[in-house]
Amino acid sequence: MEVIYGLIPGMLLLGLAAVGVLFWAARSGQFDDLEGDGQRILLDDDIKPDDPRRFPGADVED
Amino acid sequence: MDPPSRCFHCGLPITPASAVRGQIAGGERHFCCHGCAAVCQAIHDAGLDGFYQRTPDGEVFGPPPQLPRQLEFYDLDEVQQEFGDISSDERELQLAVEGIHCAACVWLIENGLSAMPGVTDARVNLTGRRLRLRWDNGRLRLSRILRRLGELGYAAVPYDPGAAELGLQRRNRALLYRLAFAGFAAMNLMWISIALYAGADQGEFRTLFHWVGWLLATPTLLYAGGPFFAGAWRGLRQRHLDMDLPIAIGATITYAYSLVVTLTGQGDVYWDTLVNFLFVILLGRYLEAMSRRQAVSATQRLLDLQPRAATVLRDGEEALVPMRAVRPGDQLLIRPGERVPADGLVEQGSSAVDESLLTGESEPIMRGPGQPVVAGSLNGAGALRVRVTAVLRETQLGRILHLVEEAQASKAPIQSLADRVVPWFVGATLLLALATGLFWWRADAATAVLAATSVLIITCPCAFGLATPMAMAVAAGSAARHGILIKQGAALERLSSVTRVVFDKTGTLTRGQPRLVALMDARGLWRADETGEPLNASRQHWLTLAAALEQLSEHPLARALTAFAREQGLVDMNLTVADVRMEPGRGVVGRVDGQVLALGSAAWLQSLGIALHASLESPTDWPRATLLHLAVDGREVARLLLRDDLREDARAAVDALLAAGLQVSLLSGDRQTTASEIAKRLGGIEAIAEVLPEGKSAVIAGLRAAGQRVAMVGDGVNDAPALVRSDVGIALGSGTDVSMASADIVLTGNELVRVPQALALARRTLGIIRQNIGLSIAYNLVMVPLAMAALITPLVAAIAMPLSSLAVIGNSARIGRIPKLFKI
């Protein structure tokens, strides 16, 4: 059971590292715009009508 | 095929009268107004049609917001330096943007701006409705970018990152760090506790675990518990027991006791209890801070959209300067439709000036050479040259603001229910702990200390500390989704016990803009509110001509007439309008379609040599309406009645409040007869009339002195002192920034029915808070005797504490749904 003498400090250090990462993330503004960044990832560029990648029949003109 | 019933751009329903058709992208599209059509055209021209594919289906957003006037003002270096660094041409600013609602807007703004040569970076923050902009000031002026945003349908102005909102954000962030650290410590201590409960407290690792507990608890107490010690110290210095003191005492004693146990090896440690306790309380504080920030930042955004500049004439040259640089004696140019920026005397020109902001009087007043104009009033149709007599704080407006600030400073801080109970609670806890200690002291010292400490720990004000903030946070979040911004939680509590609601009349109960209500001609009387009767052809013809004549005027009456004609679809763009001559305060004459039209007051028409039509009915049952006479080719053909009408939901709001058992009054500067008539139409509420603007707060103070609890609803600067003076001030979001800053609650949608809704929410929230406090008292009643009997083990404490907090949190979540409109 002596392993506990090493494990516990190890656990604390890992935990502290995680807290440190959280602080860094908050400080560098990663939580400033949760909505926007979540949506931004889904915004892609427009596909031109003559682009070969375009699906046939994906015409969204109204 | 029927035309679509919803606006292509904003999704609002299209009324046939206001429909606009546009040929865009080769197809015909239908819009609800010209604003939407122009924005759609701009979006198409920029090649950003993809915006419409990105908007969620069925998403409705309002028509584009009004751009602030005088955008060039923001090009001035002395203005920009307030918002950011201007040492080089590479500049960066934060802008507050009105009109952002979804991810499609993010895409549109970012792509639309990045395409401008000179913009290096544009990044939208969707949560905060902000835009971070980097641009090359040498190639591109800021006003050009703002105007481009306007074309795309957004209004934006720079805002000051050092302002209140960001200070608040920094404090919130510090709170979040503390919360995170306490959470980390609490989680790890759980493991230690489990090991101890599972039997490690009998074995070789007992000492190790105790010291590990100490290692985790010490920084938590010092860092995460810091605010509580600071607060307790502040409270002691001000001789005022608040929530922080028992938290600090409880935490300190728990810590000290556990440390003694760790050192002597006798007894049980309470490290886990201590840390969990701090974590839960911090969670409550953080929730409270979040809900407050939401309200503050939204009002801040509304306030930021108000420019502050003036056009100064120096040696005949016009220059746009910030208000701070204007001095008494300067000559200002005030264009039609602009706000007057300073008090002064007119030197040249004449115009009808709308002083409703200060006086509540909706009729514009004629001002000519030698007459005074006051800051904050709205210039009508004429350009004025004004010699400044007073600026900023010296103006009448500034003096009103000063009154507001004084009233705010003298307003005693509101004691929320929990705050009132807390000192007793704290006192009782300390006494009980002391008594317990003394009682067991005769048995043995160790038991005495243990029992006394258990009393302190177990009466943990946890549930108590969470009871109010938790309920307030849920309520504020739910209110914000319904267009009710609660700037401070305690306002909700006071709102729940209000006995009388006082509405300002002009601009609050009424729209603040006149509308056409009736028309008389040789065939009789036509009323606009009797929807059954359509306008016959000759009346339509007169109105079409009159609207064409008035279309260029900025006068409120003219705007009312043209708006009515647009609603009725009586706009004929093919009419030739010529020789228009406006006589401010009298009327307008001109040639429309070859006929000479005159529209104005009876006296003026007679002075033009036009005989009045004797048989036309002059209505008597329309108090406080304005009568306009229309003459065609020297003969009077019709009379138009215009009146400032009640908002549609005024009656519903008043009825709901009366049904909830409240007294409702109306406060107005108008004549008693007028006010009484409006009051009668609202179901016979009390009318307090002929009150001078500065008298409003005295009226509120009088009502309060008579033992009433008063909520005031207003929108203008002249309401601001009254809003501060009342128990709860409620401002309309369309009101002036002063009134919004003075109020406790802001209704962003300008819907009066939100007032009874806010009241219902307040009552419900307070009910929940009472339940929460009841829960925590019940918990204490059960646990304290156990603790006093020295029966509480750390295990019981560790289980009981989180349970009491969870009960409070779960109960508060029930507020979530805002009550139905009329079910109070």
Side-chain angles (χ1 to χ4, degrees):
Chain A
M1 279 304 277
E2 270 63 36
V3 73
I4 265 191
Y5 289 108
L7 280 180
I8 287 185
M11 162 190 93
L12 293 184
L13 282 177
L14 278 177
L16 274 176
V19 173
V21 167
L22 174 80
F23 282 20
W24 166 81
R27 232 177 271 271
S28 62
Q30 308 231 9
F31 301 122
D32 281 359
D33 184 14
L34 296 173
E35 267 180 90
D37 292 335
Q39 299 271 10
R40 200 185 301 271
I41 196 171
L42 302 171
L43 296 175
D44 39 16
D45 291 335
D46 282 341
I47 297 178
K48 298 273 177 299
D50 52 1
D51 192 303
R53 285 174 307 162
R54 194 183 163 98
F55 280 87
D59 209 307
V60 272
E61 295 299 323
D62 37 324
Chain B
M1 196 191 96
D2 274 345
S5 63
R6 294 197 168 270
C7 174
F8 179 82
H9 176 71
C10 75
L12 287 173
I14 298 179
T15 53
S18 64
V20 178
R21 277 199 294 262
Q23 291 288 334
I24 292 170
E28 186 167 88
R29 287 173 184 173
H30 298 258
F31 301 99
C32 67
C33 63
H34 285 286
C36 285
V39 167
C40 182
Q41 183 67 51
I43 289 174
H44 172 69
D45 293 346
L48 296 170
D49 287 307
F51 170 71
Y52 293 106
Q53 291 150 33
R54 288 178 169 80
T55 45
D57 280 344
E59 169 92 23
V60 173
F61 39 92
Q66 282 265 312
L67 272 191
R69 288 171 191 268
Q70 305 174 322
L71 289 175
E72 283 72 19
F73 166 69
Y74 293 111
D75 292 340
L76 303 174
D77 279 356
E78 56 260 39
V79 174
Q80 281 186 22
Q81 73 188 13
E82 282 188 33
F83 303 111
D85 172 29
I86 56 156
S87 49
S88 73
D89 268 351
E90 279 299 325
R91 294 185 180 179
E92 177 175 341
L93 273 188
Q94 294 274 354
L95 304 169
V97 188
E98 273 302 282
I100 296 184
H101 30 73
C102 62
C105 298
V106 175
W107 179 87
L108 180 63
I109 292 177
E110 289 181 2
N111 283 288
L113 293 189
S114 304
M116 296 176 81
V119 174
T120 40
D121 179 42
R123 196 175 172 88
V124 175
N125 178 331
L126 181 59
T127 317
R129 307 279 187 271
R130 290 194 305 270
L131 166 67
R132 194 189 65 212
L133 183 69
R134 286 205 192 105
W135 82 104
D136 179 350
N137 201 46
R139 298 176 61 191
L140 189 63
R141 289 247 165 257
L142 180 59
S143 57
R144 187 67 207 86
I145 304 175
L146 297 181
R147 197 150 283 139
R148 177 82 191 129
L149 270 170
E151 287 162 11
L152 296 175
Y154 305 93
V157 292
Y159 86 108
D160 180 7
E165 188 195 343
L166 282 189
L168 207 62
Q169 209 174 355
R170 255 196 299 279
R171 278 199 297 278
N172 281 359
R173 185 147 292 176
L175 203 53
L176 177 69
Y177 291 159
R178 290 192 161 96
L179 181 67
F181 190 84
F184 149 79
M187 282 190 287
N188 284 299
L189 263 170
M190 273 303 168
W191 291 115
I192 307 285
S193 303
I194 287 174
L196 284 171
Y197 293 134
D201 58 345
Q202 311 298 334
E204 56 168 323
F205 295 113
R206 174 188 159 104
T207 319
L208 168 73
F209 284 152
H210 283 189
W211 281 111
V212 170
W214 171 81
L215 194 71
L216 283 164
T218 308
T220 311
L221 182 74
L222 294 178
Y223 173 58
F228 303 114
F229 288 108
W233 178 238
R234 228 189 354 261
L236 281 176
R237 268 210 321 252
Q238 295 167 354
R239 306 272 171 90
H240 162 75
L241 285 178
D242 60 0
M243 213 57 229
D244 288 336
L245 188 64
I247 293 173
I249 292 181
T252 313
I253 292 204
T254 316
Y255 180 84
Y257 180 82
S258 305
L259 185 58
V260 170
V261 169
T262 304
L263 287 168
T264 59
Q266 301 295 317
D268 291 307
V269 287
Y270 286 78
W271 299 125
D272 52 342
T273 317
L274 165 69
V275 173
N276 279 327
F277 165 58
L278 287 173
F279 175 68
V280 172
I281 299 261
L282 277 171
L283 186 66
R285 295 270 161 116
Y286 186 69
L287 286 169
E288 199 180 5
M290 287 292 282
S291 62
R292 197 177 308 141
R293 177 181 146 192
Q294 202 177 16
V296 169
S297 65
T299 26
Q300 193 63 43
R301 264 208 306 280
L302 291 168
L303 301 189
D304 280 332
L305 287 159
Q306 315 268 357
R308 311 232 172 290
T311 312
V312 176
L313 293 166
R314 286 185 183 142
D315 321 318
E317 290 285 306
E318 290 179 24
L320 192 65
V321 299
M323 233 13 261
R324 282 185 325 254
V326 177
R327 297 276 169 272
D330 283 348
Q331 199 183 38
L332 300 182
L333 176 68
I334 299 162
R335 294 191 179 83
E338 282 184 358
R339 279 216 182 276
V340 178
D343 287 3
L345 290 172
V346 179
E347 294 203 329
Q348 208 184 343
S350 69
S351 171
V353 179
D354 174 2
E355 295 187 348
S356 60
L357 182 81
L358 282 117
T359 61
E361 180 65 47
S362 49
E363 279 291 303
I365 303 161
M366 275 311 299
R367 292 286 185 232
Q371 291 177 305
V373 288
V374 291
S377 51
L378 191 65
N379 186 19
L384 296 173
R385 284 190 182 194
V386 172
R387 182 70 65 185
V388 177
T389 54
V391 288
L392 300 176
R393 304 213 59 110
E394 312 302 313
T395 60
Q396 289 192 31
L397 182 66
R399 284 205 292 276
I400 293 184
L401 296 191
H402 186 65
L403 276 180
V404 170
E405 281 164 16
E406 273 190 346
Q408 269 173 331
S410 66
K411 197 174 186 174
I414 328 113
Q415 284 242 309
S416 68
L417 184 65
D419 287 348
R420 283 196 300 273
V421 181
V422 162
W424 299 102
F425 183 84
V426 178
T429 305
L430 294 176
L431 281 175
L432 284 175
L434 197 65
T436 311
L438 290 174
F439 175 81
W440 288 102
W441 195 260
R442 292 167 310 167
D444 74 291
T447 315
V449 174
L450 176 75
T453 314
S454 322
V455 171
L456 277 176
I457 295 167
I458 208 75
T459 55
C460 128
C462 248
F464 228 95
L466 277 176
T468 312
M470 193 63 216
M472 289 293 181
V474 176
S478 158
R481 279 195 299 278
H482 290 81
I484 304 166
L485 292 176
I486 296 159
K487 289 207 309 209
Q488 41 166 332
L492 211 54
E493 199 168 300
R494 277 172 303 148
L495 184 61
S496 67
S497 61
V498 154
T499 58
R500 180 183 286 273
V501 181
V502 179
F503 285 95
D504 168 57
K505 184 179 83 71
T506 310
T508 305
L509 283 173
T510 66
R511 312 178 153 280
Q513 321 157 328
R515 291 168 48 86
L516 184 80
V517 289
L519 183 150
M520 281 81 60
D521 59 9
R523 295 165 174 231
L525 174 72
W526 177 84
R527 289 168 187 255
D529 53 5
E530 286 171 17
T531 43
E533 191 192 354
L535 278 166
N536 64 31
S538 74
R539 288 171 182 168
Q540 288 197 359
H541 178 64
W542 300 138
L543 278 172
T544 311
L545 293 182
L549 178 69
E550 289 277 27
Q551 67 191 2
L552 298 170
S553 170
E554 281 290 316
H555 193 283
L557 292 175
R559 277 208 299 263
L561 193 61
T562 48
F564 179 80
R566 261 205 307 278
E567 268 172 45
Q568 297 283 332
L570 300 175
V571 179
D572 188 346
M573 284 298 176
N574 303 326
L575 292 174
T576 52
V577 182
D579 308 334
V580 177
R581 187 160 55 85
M582 291 183 203
E583 295 253 359
R586 297 198 185 89
V588 54
V589 59
R591 190 178 288 278
V592 180
D593 219 18
Q595 297 166 295
V596 178
L597 242 69
L599 182 66
S601 66
W604 182 63
L605 255 64
Q606 284 170 316
S607 76
L608 293 177
I610 297 167
L612 292 186
H613 200 307
S615 66
L616 282 188
E617 184 181 348
S618 255
T620 49
D621 63 332
W622 305 87
R624 197 141 169 80
T626 310
L627 193 57
L628 289 179
H629 301 257
L630 175 66
V632 177
D633 289 335
R635 211 167 47 81
E636 190 191 16
V637 295
R639 292 177 186 177
L640 308 175
L641 258 177
L642 295 111
R643 194 180 53 187
D644 185 4
D645 249 344
L646 287 174
R647 288 180 191 269
E648 289 103 352
D649 57 357
R651 181 70 204 251
V654 170
D655 283 349
L657 289 171
L658 290 171
L662 272 77
Q663 293 164 297
V664 183
S665 327
L666 166 162
L667 189 60
S668 160
D670 287 337
R671 291 189 305 274
Q672 184 72 48
T673 46
T674 314
S676 302
E677 189 249 347
I678 298 256
K680 204 162 70 234
R681 289 179 48 197
L682 287 169
I685 57 175
E686 183 205 23
I688 308 168
E690 299 176 30
V691 180
L692 293 171
E694 50 271 24
K696 283 187 182 180
S697 69
V699 169
I700 301 284
L703 287 171
R704 290 186 65 197
Q708 304 236 18
R709 290 167 172 244
V710 186
M712 165 90 193
V713 189
D715 73 324
V717 170
N718 55 350
D719 301 322
L723 288 173
V724 176
R725 184 77 62 191
S726 60
D727 290 287
V728 186
I730 302 175
L732 299 188
S734 67
T736 55
D737 41 3
V738 187
S739 59
M740 283 191 279
S742 318
D744 305 305
I745 295 177
V746 178
L747 308 176
T748 47
N750 302 319
E751 295 160 301
L752 293 177
V753 288
R754 298 293 178 202
V755 176
Q757 218 169 30
L759 181 82
L761 181 76
R763 289 183 173 184
R764 209 167 127 136
T765 306
L766 211 72
I768 297 270
I769 289 175
R770 289 210 180 94
Q771 286 172 13
N772 285 350
I773 290 178
L775 273 173
S776 76
I777 287 179
Y779 154 87
N780 281 312
L781 283 179
V782 173
M783 297 311 277
V784 170
L786 288 178
M788 289 176 75
L791 294 171
I792 298 281
T793 63
L795 178 62
V796 176
I799 291 173
M801 278 212 353
L803 274 184
S804 67
S805 306
L806 279 176
V808 165
I809 292 173
N811 193 35
S812 302
R814 299 192 308 133
I815 300 174
R817 276 191 50 255
I818 204 161
K820 280 270 183 298
L821 187 53
F822 301 120
K823 244 175 49 192
I824 297 191

